[in-house]
Amino acid sequence: MSEFDFIKTYLAPLAGPEGLGLLDDAALLYPPAGHDLVLTKDTMVEGVHFPSPAQKMGGARGADTAERLIRTNLSDLAAKGATPLGYLLSLAFPRDMDAAYRAAFAKGLDVAQQSFPPLKLFGGDTVVTDGPMVVSATLIGTVPTGGMVTRSGAKTGDDIWLSGYIGDSAMGLKHVLSQKIEPAPTGADIWHWEEAYLRPEPRLDLRGILRSHATACADVSDGLLADCGHIARASGQGLSLNFGHISLSEATHRWVYKQADVVAAKLALLSAGDDYELVFTAPKTSRAALQASHTKAKPLTRIGHVTDGQGVTLRNAGGDAMDFGAGGYAHF
Amino acid sequence: MSEFDFIKTYLAPLAGPEGLGLLDDAALLYPPAGHDLVLTKDTMVEGVHFPSPAQKMGGARGADTAERLIRTNLSDLAAKGATPLGYLLSLAFPRDMDAAYRAAFAKGLDVAQQSFPPLKLFGGDTVVTDGPMVVSATLIGTVPTGGMVTRSGAKTGDDIWLSGYIGDSAMGLKHVLSQKIEPAPTGADIWHWEEAYLRPEPRLDLRGILRSHATACADVSDGLLADCGHIARASGQGLSLNFGHISLSEATHRWVYKQADVVAAKLALLSAGDDYELVFTAPKTSRAALQASHTKAKPLTRIGHVTDGQGVTLRNAGGDAMDFGAGGYAHF
C-alpha cells in the first residue's frame, strides 16, 4: 500500500474540515474568537517510549501505540487547562512494517478521537525509516484569552495538589515488558495497571478547576518528583512534598506494602513517570473548594506547599528531608 | 549533555515569547486578529531524506540538516500564501550522536530563523532513538482571513505557472551522494546545484502574487509531475503541461543537453523533486500581471493549462502526450 493509499483509506476519514481532506500539504484553522491557542508536541520512539512490535504483548499493537500517543499529548493540553481541537501527526514507519499494524494504528487514532470529541486530525506527514518507528503529534487546543495555566506561577505559601494516584502506570509497564512482579499480583490488579499504562486518562475534566484555582501545573509524565522540579524551576520557587500524603491506588498500595523496603518501593514509583495525572499549585484560599472536589474515584490530594528557595524537597512524617537521587526520567 | 541542558543551552535562545522559555510543555499563541492560521508538518529521516552523518559531505552536517528542515517546511507555507510565525520541533537523535552535531543542528536552526524573521521556536520534544535520526517540524503561519491558497481551486481554462527552475536540487543531491555526474560539470555548476539542494529557497516572496492570482498551488517537493498530480486530484481537474516550456537553469540546461537522451534526462528531473519552487494555476485574466512579474533572476513561466478530466498530461512540441511513468516520489 502506497503512502497516498494509506492516507486516503485510513487517515482521511479521521480528518476534520481543518484538514482539507488531507489532499493539501497544510491545515487551515480559524482561531475561535476570544481564545488563545495552546500547542504541544510529544514524540515516541519504539523501544524507548513503547515496546517494540516484535515483543509479544497488547502494548505492542498498533492501536495501543496510537491511542497512547494521543492520550499523552492530550495530557499536556489538560495541564494547561486547554480544550483540545485537533492534531497533526508525523509518522516514521519502518520500511518492513506490516499493513495490519498500520491499519491498527489508524484504528487507535479513531478510538482516541471518539473518546475525546471534537478532536480531529488536521494533517501531517508519513515517511519510512530504516530504524525503529518514531511517531510524533502536535496537539492544538484553546483556552479563553489569558486563561492558560503555566508552570511558572507558583507562589510561596501555595498548596501543592495532586490528582489521582501515582505508580499504576509504572506497574503496568513492568507487566508489559514481562518483568517479574513479586509477590505475584492478582489478575485484577494487573489489568488495572496495564490499563493505566496503555490508556492513561488525560485529566481534561480538571480544566475548570485549574482555570479557577491553579497558579502553576504540570502533568506527571517524567515522574512526580521530576515534574515538581519543572514547576520549581519555571516558577523560581521551592516545592516541599510530604511523602506520606502522596496516595497510591489500592492495587499499588497492596503491592508496595508487601515489599521488603516499602519506602524504597514507593520512592521508585514517584520517580517513574507516565502517570499523566496533574500536579498543581493553588493559593490557600482555594483549599476548601478543592477539598470539596475530591472524590474517592477521582481524588484530589494536598501533598505539600510552595516555599522560598529552589528545587524539590521530599519530607517524611517526622519532617526530615529524604534522599531521592536524580528523581526523574531524562530522555537522553 | 542532558536533554534539559541541551534545551537550555542551545534551543531556549531560539524561542519566541510563545515558547515560554521552553520551560513549559506547551506554547501559547495569541492568534492575530483578522487572520487564519496555516499549519504544516514535514518529517525527515536520516538515510531517506538526507544523507547519514557517517557519509562525508557538507550535506551531512547538523547545521545543513536543520536549515533544510526549516526551509522545506517554510516552502509548504509559501505554497499557501502564508506568512511564517514560528515552529515546533520533534527531534529523535541517535543515542550515540556526538555533541558537536547537536550543537551544529541548533546553529542551523538559528541561521534559518535569522534568514526568515520573525520565525521563532515555539516548543517541541527531544528524545533518543536507537535508529537513524528522525526530525520533524510543525510550522505555523498566518493568512488574512479567507486568504489561504489551497490545492483544490484549479478551474478548466486556467493557466499553469511555475516559479524558478526544475532539476537543480536533484543534480545537487547526486553530488552530495557522490554519484558520478558525466560529463564532468564545472565547479561553479556543482556549487549552484549543491546550494539548491542544501538551502532551497522557500518562495515566500510570491505570497502577494499567489493571494492575488492563484486558484490552486503546490510546492514542488515530490517532483513537478507528482505535485501537479496533487493539484489535479484535489481540484478534480486535468493538468496539461508543455514539456518544452518547463525551464532549466543554465547549469542544468548545459548538462542535460550533453546527455545522449536529452528528453529522458529532462524527464527524470521533472520527477525528481526537492525543487521547492511553486507550481500554481491562475485565470487567463491574470496572465498579463504574472508575465509582468517575470524576471530573468526569478522567472515565472507559463507551462500549461487546466483541462476537464483528470491527471497530468505532458505534451511535446507536436502536441503528443508523452509517457512519463509513475512520475513522482512516494515516501513509502
Side-chain angles (χ1 to χ4, degrees), chain B:
Chain B
M1 172 172 277
S2 75
E3 173 186 10
F4 299 116
D5 289 338
F6 174 69
I7 293 170
K8 186 178 165 190
T9 307
Y10 291 110
L11 299 184
L14 304 177
E18 297 85 350
L20 307 170
L22 305 191
L23 289 167
D24 216 296
D25 245 359
L28 176 62
L29 182 61
Y30 306 97
H35 287 76
D36 297 333
L37 290 179
V38 181
L39 304 164
T40 76
K41 191 166 177 57
D42 265 353
T43 303
M44 291 186 172
V45 178
E46 175 190 331
V48 179
H49 302 87
F50 56 89
S52 145
Q55 287 179 254
K56 157 192 162 296
M57 239 316 291
R61 289 194 309 254
D64 289 335
T65 303
E67 207 176 337
R68 193 156 176 274
L69 175 70
I70 300 302
R71 284 174 172 269
T72 58
N73 270 284
L74 285 172
S75 177
D76 281 331
L77 287 186
K80 308 293 116 191
T83 303
L85 276 184
Y87 63 104
L88 292 94
L89 275 182
S90 160
L91 306 177
F93 283 155
R95 205 177 287 280
D96 59 356
M97 175 174 281
D98 68 36
Y101 191 97
R102 284 215 297 262
F105 191 92
K107 184 68 189 171
L109 296 175
D110 191 13
V111 170
Q113 290 189 189
Q114 292 184 35
S115 304
F116 303 100
L119 189 71
K120 292 287 180 192
L121 179 60
F122 286 179
D125 198 11
T126 307
V127 299
V128 285
T129 172
D130 292 311
M133 182 160 89
V134 179
V135 292
S136 179
T138 302
L139 268 279
I140 299 148
T142 60
V143 287
T145 303
M148 191 180 98
V149 179
T150 70
R151 286 177 172 177
S152 59
K155 301 272 184 305
T156 301
D158 282 355
D159 292 325
I160 303 170
W161 294 84
L162 174 68
S163 74
Y165 302 112
I166 294 297
D168 290 350
S169 179
M171 296 303 296
L173 179 59
K174 274 183 210 275
H175 175 70
V176 166
L177 293 177
S178 304
Q179 291 173 4
K180 193 134 188 114
I181 303 179
E182 289 190 300
T186 65
D189 287 356
I190 287 178
W191 184 87
H192 172 82
W193 291 331
E194 193 184 323
E195 277 298 297
Y197 174 74
L198 291 180
R199 262 169 291 281
E201 191 65 28
R203 298 304 304 269
L204 295 161
D205 59 307
L206 294 174
R207 201 155 53 207
I209 285 176
L210 289 183
R211 288 184 193 159
S212 302
H213 300 288
T215 52
C217 181
D219 70 327
V220 183
S221 53
D222 293 339
L224 177 65
L225 300 172
D227 290 304
C228 284
H230 299 328
I231 292 177
R233 191 178 309 118
S235 296
Q237 301 277 170
L239 266 66
S240 176
L241 305 180
N242 302 314
F243 182 71
H245 293 192
I246 300 163
S247 333
L248 306 176
S249 68
E250 284 181 26
T252 300
H253 187 276
R254 229 183 331 263
W255 181 82
V256 163
Y257 279 80
K258 286 177 188 161
Q259 302 306 302
D261 187 339
V262 170
V263 170
K266 182 172 172 182
L267 261 182
L269 296 177
L270 304 190
S271 303
D274 285 341
D275 299 290
Y276 300 105
E277 292 293 344
L278 301 181
V279 58
F280 62 96
T281 59
K284 282 199 187 76
T285 50
S286 293
R287 200 178 283 182
L290 291 168
Q291 281 167 337
S293 300
H294 167 92
T295 65
K296 187 161 175 357
K298 299 212 160 193
L300 274 185
T301 317
R302 187 156 55 86
I303 61 168
H305 62 281
V306 180
T307 65
D308 293 337
Q310 59 181 17
V312 176
T313 312
L314 187 62
R315 295 188 187 280
N316 63 21
D320 300 322
M322 301 167 68
D323 183 10
F324 56 86
Y329 186 72
H331 297 294
F332 69 83

Side-chain angles (χ1 to χ4, degrees), chain A residues 24 27 39 41 43 80 90 331, chain B residues 24 27 39 41 43 80 90:
Chain A
D24 216 295
L39 305 164
K41 190 165 177 58
T43 304
K80 308 292 117 194
S90 160
H331 298 293
Chain B
D24 216 296
L39 304 164
K41 191 166 177 57
T43 303
K80 308 293 116 191
S90 160

Side-chain angles (χ1 to χ4, degrees), chain A residues 14-302:
Chain A
L14 304 177
E18 297 85 351
L20 308 170
L22 306 189
L23 289 168
D24 216 295
D25 245 359
L28 177 61
L29 181 62
Y30 306 98
H35 287 75
D36 296 334
L37 290 179
V38 181
L39 305 164
T40 76
K41 190 165 177 58
D42 264 355
T43 304
M44 291 185 172
V45 179
E46 176 190 330
V48 179
H49 302 87
F50 57 88
S52 144
Q55 288 179 253
K56 158 191 161 297
M57 237 318 290
R61 290 194 308 256
D64 288 335
T65 302
E67 208 177 335
R68 194 155 176 276
L69 175 70
I70 300 303
R71 284 175 172 269
T72 58
N73 270 284
L74 285 172
S75 177
D76 281 330
L77 287 186
K80 308 292 117 194
T83 303
L85 277 185
Y87 62 105
L88 293 96
L89 276 181
S90 160
L91 305 177
F93 284 156
R95 206 177 286 279
D96 59 356
M97 175 174 283
D98 67 36
Y101 190 97
R102 283 216 297 260
F105 191 92
K107 183 69 188 171
L109 297 175
D110 190 12
V111 169
Q113 288 188 192
Q114 292 185 33
S115 305
F116 303 100
L119 188 71
K120 293 286 181 195
L121 180 60
F122 286 178
D125 198 12
T126 307
V127 299
V128 286
T129 172
D130 293 311
M133 181 160 89
V134 179
V135 291
S136 179
T138 303
L139 269 278
I140 299 147
T142 60
V143 287
T145 302
M148 191 180 98
V149 179
T150 69
R151 286 177 172 177
S152 59
K155 299 273 185 304
T156 301
D158 282 355
D159 293 325
I160 304 170
W161 294 84
L162 175 67
S163 74
Y165 302 113
I166 294 298
D168 290 351
S169 178
M171 295 303 296
L173 180 58
K174 276 183 208 276
H175 177 69
V176 166
L177 293 176
S178 303
Q179 291 175 3
K180 195 138 188 107
I181 303 179
E182 288 189 299
T186 66
D189 287 356
I190 288 178
W191 184 86
H192 171 82
W193 291 331
E194 193 183 322
E195 277 298 297
Y197 174 73
L198 290 180
R199 262 169 291 281
E201 191 64 28
R203 298 305 303 271
L204 295 161
D205 58 309
L206 294 174
R207 201 155 55 206
I209 285 176
L210 288 183
R211 288 184 193 160
S212 301
H213 300 288
T215 51
C217 182
D219 71 327
V220 183
S221 54
D222 292 339
L224 177 64
L225 299 173
D227 290 304
C228 283
H230 299 329
I231 292 178
R233 191 178 310 118
S235 296
Q237 300 277 172
L239 266 66
S240 175
L241 306 179
N242 301 314
F243 183 71
H245 292 191
I246 300 164
S247 332
L248 306 176
S249 68
E250 286 181 25
T252 300
H253 187 275
R254 231 185 327 268
W255 181 80
V256 163
Y257 279 80
K258 285 176 186 160
Q259 302 306 301
D261 187 339
V262 170
V263 169
K266 183 172 170 181
L267 261 182
L269 296 176
L270 304 190
S271 303
D274 284 342
D275 298 290
Y276 299 106
E277 292 293 344
L278 301 181
V279 58
F280 62 95
T281 59
K284 283 201 186 75
T285 50
S286 291
R287 201 179 282 182
L290 291 168
Q291 281 166 337
S293 300
H294 167 91
T295 63
K296 187 164 175 357
K298 299 213 160 191
L300 273 184
T301 315
R302 187 157 55 86

